[in-house]
Amino acid sequence: MQQATRTEFLERDQRHLIHPIHSRAVHANGHVWVKGHGAVLVDADGEEYLDGLAGLWNVVAGHGRSELADVAARQMSTLAYCSAYAGSSNPAAIELAERLAGLTYPSINRFFFTSGGGESSETSFKLARSYWKLRGKPHKTKVISRQWGYHGVTLAAMSATGISTYWPAFEPRVPGFIQIPSPYPYRYEAPAGLSQGIAAADELERAIQREGADTVAMFLAEPVQGAGGVIVPQDDYFARIREICDRYDVLLAADEVITGFGRTGKLFALDHWGVEPDVMQFAKAVTSGYFPLGGVGVNDTIAEVLDESSSPWMHAYTYSAHPVGCAVALRTIDIILDEDFPAQAAAKGDHLLAGLKAALADHPHVGEVRGKGLMCAVEIVQDKATKAEFAAGDNIGVKVHGATQQRGLFSRLRGDVFCLAPPVVTTTEQLDRIVEILTAAIAEVLPA
Ligand SMILES: Cc1ncc(COP(=O)(O)O)c(C=O)c1O
């Protein structure tokens, strides 16, 4: 039987599906992806697109890796599912936790598994609350995060997420979630005489003092802010954040859902700045998107406090430590290490960033080209001198995104910030093609 066309699929889709970030208008001309290979996605009309965001930042090993499918099939036919509630475990989960203990930050050796990033955020909020209660500080419940941070969209995770467009339809947000400004090197204005990174980190100290240290449980931050527009912090930012967290007894949680497992050029991204978190969230690349799996790692102090509790920790998901997810994660980690994804992401990221800068930095409407490892962004502005943005109604980002799709590149935006995070297996020729396409698309929408 002949496969339906994209238009036929979309008609049926519109009748029965509600999509993430649902918008009937946006979806009217959507893609229906039917297969993929390497850095390429193929839609139902047979058109090929470079996958500029590796799915949603996750498909680091690229599409069509049969070794990941084989490992999933083997685990499914051996034992597809079992509970992981206290009293049950499985060999894949045990081995994955052991592997992660050897790979993540030295003091992080215990892991709770989830089905993705949002569940990981919820888990670390609840971990932090229970930890402080067990330590006799029951009022330490608040979570401080940052503007432009993305931590998922379940209700508490959404309340930590600092991209305000995610809020209005679902207000009120959960109380006790506070945002401070992002260190955003392109836009953060530090007081005269102070380094931008130190000034931005000191925003945390002021927020803790304002809220009262005895009410603040944790500070949650992505080492490089991803969905908020690939915001790379200053080199002195996280060391200062660590000092402030220690001074006020506030847990430092790194949301490494995008940055974990090599994308920034290190296996875990706070290593760029020699900083260790107390809690680490991960998802996405751990299975390269081949199975929904995430998790939270905690340091030895938190693990000990949890172990010594006389009552059970009443937090659980049916799919925690799913044996198929854990088996796929183990094989993905083999790929990440055998193919040295951190080194590949560093070299390919440098290549992509240099190409983007050479082609676009002088464009009168390109305010900044930035990145770290294989995470890059091009920020389009109305006025380069004042950094003023285009009016939202001008839809510049949307138009550029449309023009890239016509040329065979598919990625994502934050407003007029065009984000790129292709699979780590993307070839140099494909990276060069991404630069060519984005440059031509910007030239079409904003002729110099
Ligand atoms: C840093 C970060 N945390 C959390 C999440 C939420 O993950 P999920 O969509 O799997 O709930 C995301 C998703 O993009 C993310 O980038």
Side-chain angles (χ1 to χ4, degrees):
M1 204 176 77
Q2 213 190 347
Q3 186 184 274
T5 63
R6 185 172 71 101
T7 314
E8 288 162 353
F9 271 129
L10 276 178
E11 279 167 12
R12 288 162 56 202
D13 174 306
Q14 295 268 39
R15 277 200 291 278
H16 295 294
L17 270 167
I18 296 173
H19 287 270
I21 321 292
H22 190 75
S23 160
R24 208 169 166 84
V26 169
H27 199 66
N29 194 29
H31 295 279
V32 179
W33 305 113
V34 294
K35 60 184 171 187
H37 50 89
V40 172
L41 279 168
V42 185
D43 87 2
D45 280 348
E47 302 280 349
E48 297 207 337
Y49 293 79
L50 286 168
D51 187 358
L53 209 72
L56 286 172
W57 318 82
N58 49 347
V59 188
V60 283
H63 301 279
R65 303 277 311 222
S66 55
E67 65 267 54
L68 294 175
D70 292 345
V71 98
R74 257 199 314 280
Q75 181 62 52
M76 280 181 184
S77 47
T78 310
L79 175 68
Y81 177 77
C82 60
S83 161
Y85 281 31
S88 293
S89 193
N90 70 78
I94 294 165
E95 195 181 332
L96 179 59
E98 270 172 7
R99 292 283 306 270
L100 291 173
L103 292 173
T104 56
Y105 302 95
S107 64
I108 293 192
N109 293 302
R110 294 284 289 279
F111 299 89
F112 176 85
F113 294 118
T114 69
S115 308
E119 284 186 1
S120 298
S121 293
E122 301 289 332
T123 297
S124 55
F125 307 147
K126 291 174 74 180
L127 257 165
R129 286 184 173 199
S130 52
Y131 169 75
W132 289 117
K133 283 188 209 310
L134 289 165
R135 295 265 320 263
K137 297 185 176 177
H139 304 297
K140 278 174 92 68
T141 59
K142 292 177 188 166
V143 173
I144 301 179
S145 58
R146 300 175 301 172
Q147 193 188 10
W148 300 122
Y150 187 85
H151 304 291
V153 290
T154 51
L155 201 57
M158 178 200 83
S159 307
T161 285
I163 307 175
S164 58
T165 45
Y166 284 94
W167 303 336
F170 312 106
E171 301 267 17
R173 279 166 279 151
V174 176
F177 285 81
I178 297 117
Q179 271 95 36
I180 59 170
S182 157
Y184 210 156
Y186 182 60
R187 295 193 178 274
Y188 183 77
E189 289 182 19
L194 213 53
S195 104
Q196 219 190 11
I198 297 295
D202 286 350
E203 301 269 1
L204 174 61
E205 179 162 42
R206 277 199 294 285
I208 295 171
Q209 288 172 342
R210 221 169 27 241
E211 297 296 325
D214 54 350
T215 71
V216 180
M218 82 187 318
F219 176 61
L220 173 63
E222 301 154 87
V224 175
Q225 291 183 292
V230 186
I231 300 169
V232 186
Q234 301 79 2
D235 284 339
D236 51 0
Y237 179 77
F238 271 109
R240 178 73 151 220
I241 288 285
R242 179 72 268 182
E243 272 172 40
I244 294 167
C245 287
D246 289 343
R247 192 174 315 143
Y248 294 93
D249 243 355
V250 167
L251 296 175
L252 171 57
D255 187 343
E256 299 239 20
V257 162
I258 289 178
T259 55
F261 301 96
R263 179 165 286 286
T264 68
K266 299 264 188 203
L267 205 47
F268 296 98
L270 286 185
D271 269 342
H272 285 289
W273 305 289
V275 169
E276 258 195 80
D278 304 301
V279 175
M280 190 196 97
Q281 302 176 192
F282 59 92
K284 296 197 188 272
V286 68
T287 55
S288 195
Y290 281 65
F291 196 91
L293 182 97
V296 176
V298 299
N299 70 15
D300 298 330
T301 313
I302 299 173
E304 268 168 39
V305 169
L306 212 61
D307 284 345
E308 282 163 12
S309 170
S310 54
S311 50
W313 186 60
M314 297 303 288
H315 180 70
Y317 301 115
T318 296
Y319 294 123
S320 288
H322 195 295
V324 178
C326 293
V328 172
L330 283 164
R331 188 70 191 92
T332 307
I333 290 170
D334 287 341
I335 293 173
I336 289 170
L337 299 179
D338 293 348
E339 299 178 18
D340 202 349
F341 276 14
Q344 282 204 59
K348 290 180 179 177
D350 284 351
H351 183 88
L352 179 61
L353 192 62
L356 290 169
K357 281 189 170 159
L360 286 166
D362 292 336
H363 189 286
H365 290 290
V366 171
E368 191 182 42
V369 178
R370 56 177 177 260
K372 190 156 192 82
L374 210 41
M375 289 175 81
C376 296
V378 174
E379 178 152 356
I380 297 168
V381 292
Q382 198 264 326
D383 184 328
K384 210 162 165 158
T386 63
K387 303 182 183 176
E389 299 173 0
F390 279 100
D394 291 340
N395 283 320
I396 297 297
V398 173
K399 288 175 187 161
V400 170
H401 192 223
T404 61
Q405 289 176 65
Q406 280 165 10
R407 293 166 171 82
L409 169 65
F410 189 78
S411 195
R412 267 186 76 74
L413 305 160
R414 188 272 284 162
D416 293 342
V417 181
F418 196 95
C419 300
L420 287 165
V424 175
V425 298
T426 307
T427 64
T428 323
E429 294 70 34
Q430 288 171 324
L431 294 174
D432 293 342
R433 183 74 193 124
I434 288 174
V435 174
E436 276 169 27
I437 291 176
L438 184 55
T439 306
I442 291 175
E444 179 190 307
V445 176
L446 295 165

